[in-house]
Amino acid sequence: MHFLSYILRQTGKNLRQTWGTQLLTLLTVTLSVLLFAFFFLIYTNMLNAGKRLGDEVRLIVYLDQEITEQMRPELEKKIGDFGPVDKIVFVSRNEAFARMSAQLGQEKDVLNDLDPDFLPPSIEVYPLKNLKDLSKISQFSDFLLTLPHATKVQSGSDWLRRFGHFTNLLRVVVFLSGSLLIISMTFIVSYTLRLTVLSRQSELEILKLLGATRAYIRLPLLLEGMLQGFLGSSFGLAALYLLYQSIDSHFSNPGFLKLFDFAFFPAEITAAILLASIVLCTAGSLFSIRRFIRI
Amino acid sequence: MPKDAITNEPLIEMVNVTKIYPPDVAALQDISLRIYKGEILFLTGMSGAGKTTLIKLACCLETPTSGRIDVAGRDLSLISPAGIQRMRQKIGVAYQDFRLLDKQTVFQNISMAMEVTYASTKAIRERVEELLTMLNLSDKRDKLTGDLSRGEQQRVALARAAANRPSLLLADEPTGNLDLTTTKLVINLFRHLNEEHGSTIVVATHDESIYAETEHRVVALSNGHLSDHPRRTPQQGELFEA
Ligand SMILES: Nc1ncnc2c1ncn2[C@@H]1O[C@H](COP(=O)(O)OP(=O)(O)OP(=O)(O)O)[C@@H](O)[C@H]1O
Ligand SMILES: [Mg+2]
């Protein structure tokens, strides 16, 4: 069967006839994939970093009075009722003092003159959470302040909140660049295809008279869209990978990137972006085919 | 051609076919005509008689206003678009206005007809060369058809129609721009197709020289009506000499 070779040859013919526009389209598709994938890569890495940081979030409730063994279950229940908690640690004045001297290590002499009772007792609450619950953290902290004898709640979530805002902003950017991607792919591919169809209008008419089947006329055009999607996203992702590699090698010493363990997309995401681009570009060409071809 | 090659099976059967172009041009009126498999038929008539219209109806380029057309036993009005395309691969049409692609070469124009049937490159090359030789166009193989003379374009159109060795060849005014010698080449092509491949051939023409002496059936159209042409006694016509 020479079917496939014919379809491919027709596709090649189409591409050659409008190669200038084809290249521009490819460039547009490549750039929009690059743009989207760039923001998406940062976003996913931020999410991962946030998750890891979020695991270490704890709320410290400083108290003006020691908590006795008998009071603990009631407090634990009260806190647990408000929100899911990983664990609750009660820290007495003595324990706080011991911790501090352990932290100071050799410098612990400075504590010698101090009353071991000078540090307040506290409750450390480790909530079950991830970054998305950041607003819950502040609610939680407000709640903890209402506990009896609580004087101050330190959530350390201030900068986490800022981090969260940034991630939210990034999500908007990802969303926008994703929309741009969808628009540019479907519209531009379908526009290019329209040019192909127009430039071959008389030929398509003749082909119809000669008995060309729907597949003979339409498949090459569909393939053209698929090819744009495949090549465009491959180039876009390859460009991003190169960019990532060069950044990664420049900042390979312990620093920001190591802290966040900046990573490229896993294979599934790469495949998904590739596939989505192919689907979108094919949809764009399908749109043009249905509108401009009557066979 | 030997008369006994004609079967009694009609390839095209038109029953009470009327074609009215909008608003009210009656190109064909109440035409009933049978064209048999393996037949060579001349369709004659003055300019405007409706010859082209009849050919367009037979290849589904136009639909009849009323009446029925069967091709190979199938009612054309009931065939799906895909079915029509498949049918067109087996019908070669040489249009009166040629319908060639001016910016493509002679070879490309002819091979296009075979490409849509997914023929192999080798088969296409061989067949096109063969046709070009038969029609004395070999030296024009790689010329753009737009640069050819009318007579040359006419032969390219014929070659394209004959490329797939169609079971039905519809030739609309195939010799209008040709001299006698070249006309003979065209007639030879028809005869070859008819004898070697059993093709049915319908030639619409007002060139009396090509049907005057023929032993084949001649039907005449005038003002959209079919009128029986007086049958001539079979003679060894000048153009059909073996
Ligand atoms: N598309 C059309 N729209 C309106 N009228 C048409 C159309 N095509 C043909 N006609 C008219 O139908 C009649 C028959 O035309 P047709 O082309 O079939 O004649 P013909 O026998 O092929 O003539 P010729 O020998 O000049 O080619 C003519 O009067 C013509 O003007
Ligand atoms: Mg005509």
Side-chain angles (χ1 to χ4, degrees):
Chain A
M1 190 67 163
H2 304 279
F3 179 74
L4 204 68
S5 93
Y6 267 107
I7 299 300
L8 292 177
R9 223 180 314 158
Q10 280 297 116
T11 312
K13 218 181 200 177
N14 290 355
L15 293 178
R16 245 173 297 135
Q17 249 161 43
T18 49
W19 66 271
T21 329
Q22 299 285 356
L23 274 185
L24 274 180
T25 309
L26 190 62
L27 193 71
T28 317
V29 173
T30 303
L31 285 180
S32 40
V33 169
L34 179 61
L35 195 73
F36 168 77
F38 175 75
F39 288 121
F40 192 57
L41 183 65
I42 295 182
Y43 176 67
T44 50
N45 275 286
M46 286 303 236
L47 273 191
N48 284 336
K51 214 174 267 166
R52 243 172 290 124
L53 291 170
D55 287 344
E56 286 144 32
V57 160
R58 59 180 179 179
L59 294 139
I60 303 171
V61 190
Y62 292 103
L63 307 163
D64 58 9
Q65 195 188 319
E66 288 281 9
I67 303 292
T68 62
E69 287 286 346
Q70 296 92 319
M71 293 160 75
R72 287 185 186 186
E74 195 198 333
L75 270 172
E76 275 173 350
K77 187 179 176 304
K78 229 176 171 178
I79 295 170
D81 281 350
F82 186 83
V85 165
D86 185 26
K87 61 176 175 173
I88 298 171
V89 178
F90 294 91
V91 182
S92 69
R93 286 186 212 274
N94 285 335
E95 281 162 343
F97 189 78
R99 262 196 206 176
M100 183 172 246
S101 57
Q103 272 168 9
L104 287 172
Q106 294 179 332
E107 325 274 327
K108 68 178 171 199
D109 293 351
V110 297
L111 297 177
N112 283 349
D113 295 336
L114 293 168
D115 180 353
D117 282 354
F118 89 102
L119 287 169
S122 60
I123 310 171
E124 290 176 354
V125 180
Y126 294 82
L128 278 176
K129 67 159 292 287
N130 56 41
L131 201 67
K132 283 181 197 145
D133 301 317
L134 219 67
S135 61
K136 289 220 188 85
I137 292 281
S138 78
Q139 279 174 30
F140 212 158
S141 116
D142 289 346
F143 161 76
L144 291 175
L145 205 55
T146 65
L147 290 177
H149 307 297
T151 55
K152 189 184 159 199
V153 176
Q154 187 187 311
S155 66
S157 66
D158 227 32
W159 74 272
L160 262 184
R161 189 175 293 128
R162 247 173 271 139
F163 188 81
H165 283 322
F166 182 63
T167 316
N168 278 336
L169 185 74
L170 212 55
R171 193 178 324 184
V172 173
V173 175
V174 167
F175 177 77
L176 287 179
S177 61
S179 314
L180 190 75
L181 180 85
I182 292 172
I183 292 171
S184 74
M185 282 193 180
T186 45
F187 278 76
I188 291 180
V189 168
S190 95
Y191 176 75
T192 313
L193 210 78
R194 209 187 73 149
L195 289 186
T196 305
V197 171
L198 289 180
S199 78
R200 297 186 58 218
Q201 194 83 37
S202 48
E203 192 181 338
L204 294 178
E205 284 298 323
I206 304 276
L207 283 173
K208 192 177 167 186
L209 291 180
L210 295 175
T213 55
R214 271 165 76 100
Y216 188 86
I217 290 179
R218 291 179 176 219
L219 273 186
L221 297 170
L222 212 61
L223 216 61
E224 182 181 322
M226 276 173 137
L227 212 63
Q228 290 280 13
F230 175 71
L231 290 181
S233 55
S234 301
F235 291 159
L237 286 169
L240 183 67
Y241 188 72
L242 289 179
L243 196 71
Y244 161 79
Q245 287 261 293
S246 79
I247 291 176
D248 202 38
S249 64
H250 273 87
F251 296 88
S252 56
N253 292 327
F256 175 82
L257 287 164
K258 279 291 165 256
L259 179 68
F260 286 92
D261 198 14
F262 204 73
F264 199 70
F265 295 124
E268 308 90 76
I269 302 258
T270 312
I273 293 178
L274 218 75
L275 201 72
S277 311
I278 293 175
V279 167
L280 283 173
C281 290
T282 311
S285 52
L286 205 63
F287 176 77
S288 261
I289 291 171
R290 295 182 66 138
R291 264 197 70 185
F292 299 108
I293 297 197
R294 279 146 301 164
I295 163 168
Chain B
M1 66 158 278
K3 275 279 175 211
D4 49 28
I6 302 174
T7 61
N8 284 325
E9 232 181 303
L11 183 64
I12 300 179
E13 171 145 35
M14 297 192 168
V15 183
N16 305 121
V17 170
T18 295
K19 175 68 187 177
I20 297 171
Y21 288 110
D24 58 355
V25 185
L28 292 176
Q29 287 179 56
D30 204 24
I31 300 282
S32 292
L33 175 67
R34 270 190 188 159
I35 301 172
Y36 294 96
K37 275 186 189 160
E39 183 178 25
I40 293 183
L41 179 98
F42 289 95
L43 190 62
T44 67
M46 287 180 4
S47 181
K51 302 182 293 293
T52 298
T53 304
L54 195 141
I55 281 183
K56 283 180 176 170
L57 288 176
C59 63
C60 294
L61 214 54
E62 295 282 358
T63 50
T65 312
S66 69
R68 206 182 102 176
I69 304 173
D70 287 0
V71 173
R74 297 178 69 192
D75 186 342
L76 286 190
S77 65
L78 301 179
I79 301 180
S80 67
I84 287 181
Q85 292 309 103
R86 275 196 299 277
M87 197 185 79
R88 280 179 172 162
Q89 293 183 10
K90 297 190 200 105
I91 300 180
V93 189
Y95 297 94
Q96 190 170 13
D97 51 357
F98 310 152
R99 306 206 182 187
L100 298 170
L101 289 167
D102 290 351
K103 294 196 180 68
Q104 301 208 11
T105 65
V106 170
F107 183 88
Q108 286 170 329
N109 267 282
I110 301 172
S111 61
M112 203 181 264
M114 296 181 76
E115 283 169 1
V116 302
T117 68
Y118 306 114
S120 76
T121 317
K122 184 166 166 284
I124 292 178
R125 208 181 42 241
E126 284 171 7
R127 178 63 175 159
V128 176
E129 303 289 358
E130 182 188 4
L131 285 163
L132 291 179
T133 311
M134 284 173 89
L135 292 169
N136 193 19
L137 283 171
S138 296
D139 54 332
K140 300 287 187 279
R141 185 186 186 278
D142 298 313
K143 295 267 183 308
L144 298 183
T145 49
D147 296 339
L148 301 183
S149 75
R150 298 280 297 166
E152 286 161 346
Q153 290 177 350
Q154 189 153 43
R155 278 175 285 155
V156 176
L158 272 163
R160 188 181 64 187
N164 287 320
R165 300 182 178 90
S167 29
L168 172 64
L169 182 94
L170 303 168
D172 196 351
E173 214 64 71
T175 57
N177 301 286
L178 303 182
D179 57 84
L180 192 69
T181 320
T182 320
T183 300
K184 269 187 184 171
L185 293 178
V186 171
I187 298 296
N188 269 331
L189 174 67
F190 292 157
R191 207 177 49 182
H192 184 262
L193 273 176
N194 179 254
E195 285 173 4
E196 302 296 318
H197 306 289
S199 308
T200 305
I201 293 171
V202 177
V203 183
T205 185
H206 48 226
D207 179 1
E208 205 175 330
S209 72
I210 71 166
Y211 65 85
E213 309 276 322
T214 186
E215 77 256 41
H216 300 290
R217 190 148 69 108
V218 178
V219 295
L221 275 170
S222 69
N223 281 328
H225 292 280
L226 210 55
S227 62
D228 262 332
H229 201 275
R231 269 217 66 88
R232 289 159 196 278
T233 42
Q235 284 173 356
Q236 287 296 33
E238 181 197 1
L239 287 160
F240 274 87
E241 229 160 324

